[in-house]
Amino acid sequence: MSAIVKVSDLTRIFDVSKPWLNRVIERSPRALLTAVSEVSFEIEENSVYALVGESGSGKSTIGKIIVGLVPPSEGHVEVDGVDLATETDAEKIESIRSEIQMIFQDPYASLNPRWTVRDIIAEPVAVRGGKTDGLAERLLEQVGLSGADAGKYPHEFSGGQRQRICIARALAAGPRIIVCDEPTSALDVSVQSQVLNLMSDLREELGLTYLFISHDLTVVHHMADKIGVLYLGGLVEEAPRDRLFDDPKHPYTQMLFDAAPRMDAFGREVEPPKGEIPDAINPPPGCPYHPRCPIAVDRCRKERPELRRLGETRVACHLAE
Amino acid sequence: MSTPVLSVRDLVVEIPTRRGVLRPVNQVSYDIHAGEILGVVGESGAGKSMTGNAVIGLLDRPARIVSGEVLLGGEPVHQLKGERLRKLRGRKMGMIFQDPLTSLNPLLTVGEQLTETITEHLDVGQSEARRRAIAALDEVGIPAASQRIGSYPHEFSGGMRQRVVIALALCAEPDLVIADEPTTALDVSVQAQIVALLKRLCREKGVAVMLVTHDMGVIAEAADRVAVMYAGRLAELGPVREVITNARHPYTAGLMASTPLASRGQKRLRQIPGAMPRLDNLPAGCAFHPRCDRAEAACRQDPPPSLSACDGRAACWFPLTDKTKATA
């Protein structure tokens, strides 16, 4: 298998400074928020790569950079060997663009309420001047809705059905890669399982590749082939699914697994994890996790650990072995 | 057994609309004892939050309680209004909402909000109230409480804000706390902290807690008993271990099986077909029958007996038993 998406040294810095006049009067310096910091990974064709992390870990920003909604500050994203940020051949860019689609978290906010479902689903094809006859109906059937619903508006559907419409829209352009940003976190459990099953089926039928962004470890365990764990914008650990769940190397990954509620742990008494994600504008020096880490040593406070390989795992921790 | 802290009997809440009268809470009965956490689970629209709001008297018009009763320490409270209800809220019942940012006043420091609640409900002076407010913040694990008491809500992180809300709910020493999705807006690591905090406070102070959530994992770890709601009715009620591992109601069984956790190692997740019916379009008979693979003629005709009327475990004509499970 070959890598279809290659992300190398991706960095995104947002300027969150106060307005110019405030900075002059209050003598406050520019504030720069590093949302993504030097992240590199590869997604293999027809696989599911999951990014997990807590809020503010940069997982959604990476998804947006890959589909081209946010430009990177540094680093490259190569899709099928084409770097969208530097490529000059318009035709090539166009064809790659239609190969990547995105599904958003909130199916209530990501469908235009004034458009019929038919127009919403056909839009990605219509903007490129393609033929849209019967396309919406066919796609609706494919995602388990009725083709007769194409004339309805989004408000006539439930949350789970809306997310199916979002999936149909993403499929319309005939993509090879779909970036799914928390696709089921707004849905109820029984509806979530329907949508996840649909996504698995489509992947097999159409040979899709997913970048699956989620904070829910149980969902990630079910869907992903390979998982990258993000903390404060940086990749702290990456491993194939079973490897990661059986033998997490990074203390942060271990903490995430321990803290996640389990259905078989009745009345479990755990020592809850300490602290919260630090401020991304003034991240701690050295390893970003050291203020919360139970095994941190002096070196962690000074030197930022690089990702290094341990068998199938890549981990950014001085002490992991 | 002693009198339960909260006793809800055959509670019915109705909302009159142009398209008919909706019943978001229908014939719901349960008890919560001191020091006990009752988990209330269900999908969105099942009536979990509406039940909590009805208990604490926060129903928005035109929703209203039409029958049944809510007993707090044996005293009926569902008919109280105005000043008498206000005296009870905060003093006897505390409430923790989902979003900690919108449930705190952004213009008052957390200290002002805490001391206001304490002086309103307890017979103490300003300096004593301030001392208690610091103790309350300290108790919920806010570091340097005596300094942070002068901070405004926006100066706290999400997890810390939820701690302030919990301190606020508990500062007048209520007997009952209703926690409506208290950890849904929080990250996993912070969620674990808040769940541990709720459990500790419940045990130490002997408070009865009604924990409304849709997260089975949180329920499994925190609750003593669990009530499962579907389309306004209680589907199942029982000890948490029993309900999760040995569900009697087909809906509960389906719900548990469809979590990714339960189907570990399987290629596809178990799923319940369809979605919960809308309240203005409930099917006849059992509301779950169109999605139920065990439904028979009786299920389509008559609603199953409510929990208090039957064996008290599952409101179903054909509940799952160990025998039916073995053959399935």
Side-chain angles (χ1 to χ4, degrees):
Chain A
M1 280 208 280
S2 60
I4 186 167
V5 177
K6 251 188 214 170
V7 174
S8 38
D9 291 323
L10 198 65
T11 299
R12 172 70 212 194
I13 296 167
F14 290 106
D15 189 342
V16 291
S17 313
K18 286 183 178 171
W20 171 81
L21 193 59
N22 292 57
R23 288 211 308 276
V24 173
I25 296 169
E26 297 165 17
R27 290 166 194 263
S28 56
R30 268 189 179 280
L32 297 175
L33 186 149
T34 309
V36 179
S37 128
E38 295 174 24
V39 170
S40 307
F41 61 90
E42 294 182 356
I43 307 177
E44 287 182 350
E45 184 139 27
N46 199 13
S47 75
V48 179
Y49 189 97
L51 285 175
V52 295
E54 299 181 272
S55 43
S57 61
K59 48 191 195 306
S60 292
T61 308
I62 293 176
K64 285 181 187 159
I65 292 173
I66 290 176
V67 294
L69 285 175
V70 172
S73 305
E74 270 166 62
H76 302 280
V77 177
E78 273 181 32
V79 180
D80 247 359
V82 178
D83 183 347
L84 286 175
T86 55
E87 181 63 50
T88 47
D89 184 348
E91 218 165 279
K92 246 185 185 172
I93 292 180
E94 186 74 352
S95 78
I96 293 291
R97 277 273 163 90
S98 65
E99 282 185 8
I100 314 178
Q101 291 292 319
M102 187 155 181
I103 301 168
F104 296 91
Q105 171 171 359
D106 187 352
Y108 292 86
S110 53
L111 296 173
N112 189 334
R114 296 179 153 224
W115 284 21
T116 63
V117 168
R118 180 181 290 112
D119 293 341
I120 290 173
I121 294 177
E123 169 82 352
V125 177
V127 288
R128 296 192 171 86
K131 287 190 86 150
T132 59
D133 297 338
L135 175 77
E137 284 78 2
R138 189 171 55 74
L139 285 166
L140 279 173
E141 302 277 350
Q142 193 167 14
V143 297
L145 295 172
S146 157
D149 290 340
K152 291 187 180 173
Y153 288 89
H155 75 264
E156 297 175 71
F157 295 88
S158 70
Q161 290 171 326
R162 280 183 219 208
Q163 201 57 297
R164 286 170 193 265
I165 295 171
C166 292
I167 294 174
R169 172 176 61 184
L171 293 175
R176 290 166 66 199
I177 307 155
I178 298 186
V179 175
C180 321
D181 190 357
E182 305 260 12
T184 60
S185 40
L187 305 177
D188 280 316
V189 189
S190 73
V191 179
Q192 164 174 290
S193 60
Q194 295 169 4
V195 172
L196 291 178
N197 281 341
L198 172 69
M199 291 177 64
S200 303
D201 293 344
L202 290 171
R203 176 189 161 206
E204 271 182 26
E205 277 169 39
L206 306 172
L208 297 171
T209 305
Y210 289 137
L211 173 64
F212 197 94
I213 297 166
S214 179
H215 69 277
D216 188 330
L217 292 167
T218 60
V219 171
V220 165
H221 183 273
H222 180 74
M223 294 295 287
D225 298 313
K226 204 172 198 184
I227 299 165
V229 182
L230 290 166
Y231 186 75
L232 215 63
L235 205 54
V236 295
E237 183 165 1
E238 180 201 61
R241 179 193 57 190
D242 292 336
R243 190 98 208 105
L244 187 79
F245 277 85
D246 293 345
D247 183 18
K249 301 280 190 199
H250 198 284
Y252 176 65
T253 318
Q254 290 163 5
M255 184 278 277
L256 268 189
F257 289 170
D258 288 342
R262 302 213 316 255
M263 269 173 64
D264 52 354
F266 299 107
R268 183 172 67 141
E269 300 286 337
V270 285
E271 185 63 26
K274 282 182 295 183
E276 295 174 27
I277 288 199
D279 184 4
I281 299 170
N282 298 303
C287 172
Y289 188 59
H290 85 255
R292 302 169 73 187
C293 183
I295 57 168
V297 294
D298 241 13
R299 189 176 171 205
C300 307
R301 285 172 204 113
K302 291 177 192 137
E303 192 184 327
R304 188 175 168 134
E306 297 287 321
L307 266 185
R308 62 199 166 92
R309 207 163 256 295
L310 279 176
E312 288 177 286
T313 308
R314 289 195 299 155
V315 61
C317 176
H318 293 305
L319 301 168
E321 52 193 36
Chain B
M1 228 175 176
S2 57
T3 324
V5 173
L6 175 71
S7 193
V8 177
R9 288 281 161 268
D10 297 319
L11 187 70
V12 180
V13 173
E14 284 188 351
I15 306 177
T17 69
R18 269 182 294 174
R19 283 179 295 176
V21 178
L22 309 182
R23 287 195 166 180
V25 179
N26 197 351
Q27 299 279 326
V28 168
S29 307
Y30 58 82
D31 293 335
I32 311 180
H33 293 269
E36 184 186 44
I37 300 183
L38 176 80
V40 179
V41 291
E43 300 179 83
S44 33
K48 349 180 258 299
S49 296
M50 195 66 100
T51 311
N53 289 348
V55 167
I56 202 163
L58 278 180
L59 285 181
D60 284 325
R61 274 166 187 261
R64 62 202 171 92
I65 298 175
V66 290
S67 67
E69 46 188 10
V70 179
L71 305 173
L72 193 68
E75 300 286 320
V77 295
H78 55 280
Q79 281 159 339
L80 294 185
K81 285 206 171 59
E83 190 63 11
R84 289 180 63 201
L85 180 62
R86 200 176 63 79
K87 281 256 183 285
L88 206 68
R89 281 200 296 240
R91 177 71 192 89
K92 292 276 186 191
M93 308 186 263
M95 182 105 189
I96 301 166
F97 295 94
Q98 174 172 351
D99 183 357
L101 189 55
T102 50
S103 49
L104 291 170
N105 186 335
L107 299 178
L108 298 178
T109 64
V110 300
E112 284 167 337
Q113 300 186 47
L114 281 162
T115 47
E116 182 191 9
T117 309
I118 294 170
T119 50
E120 174 68 31
H121 293 296
L122 303 176
D123 190 19
V124 295
Q126 274 296 328
S127 59
E128 170 66 10
R130 190 183 151 79
R131 199 190 59 74
R132 286 197 191 199
I134 293 172
L137 287 177
D138 202 34
E139 187 148 37
V140 294
I142 289 182
S146 49
Q147 283 135 49
R148 294 312 297 271
I149 193 166
S151 305
Y152 289 89
H154 75 266
E155 297 174 82
F156 290 87
S157 68
M160 285 297 156
R161 255 179 235 147
Q162 195 61 298
R163 286 171 195 264
V164 172
V165 174
I166 293 175
L168 202 53
L170 287 169
C171 64
E173 295 160 1
D175 303 325
L176 171 74
V177 169
I178 297 173
D180 191 354
E181 305 264 9
T183 61
T184 308
L186 306 174
D187 279 318
V188 210
S189 61
V190 181
Q191 166 172 294
Q193 295 168 355
I194 297 293
V195 168
L197 172 67
L198 269 179
K199 274 164 76 175
R200 180 170 65 82
L201 293 174
C202 171
R203 198 167 44 216
E204 284 174 6
K205 297 183 170 259
V207 182
V209 178
M210 177 177 165
L211 177 64
V212 176
T213 177
H214 66 275
D215 189 327
M216 298 304 157
V218 170
I219 291 284
E221 285 188 12
D224 300 300
R225 286 188 306 140
V226 56
V228 183
M229 291 193 73
Y230 187 80
R233 282 173 174 268
L234 277 186
E236 184 157 0
L237 176 67
V240 65
R241 185 184 294 265
E242 275 289 297
V243 171
I244 289 183
T245 58
N246 196 10
R248 294 259 185 262
H249 198 287
Y251 172 65
T252 319
L255 196 62
M256 299 304 163
S258 59
T259 57
L261 215 54
S263 357
R264 247 193 196 176
Q266 286 166 22
K267 203 136 185 281
R268 289 177 64 85
L269 295 168
R270 281 267 311 272
Q271 57 182 56
I272 311 178
M276 191 157 65
R278 291 166 56 111
L279 284 172
D280 57 357
N281 192 17
L282 284 181
C286 172
F288 185 60
H289 88 252
R291 303 175 74 187
C292 183
D293 52 3
R294 296 167 55 79
E296 293 184 26
C299 307
R300 291 179 200 104
Q301 275 162 18
D302 303 304
S306 70
L307 278 179
S308 46
C310 62
D311 67 346
R313 177 68 194 278
C316 177
W317 286 115
F318 306 103
L320 297 159
T321 60
D322 298 333
K323 215 161 115 199
T324 53
K325 274 191 183 160
T327 55

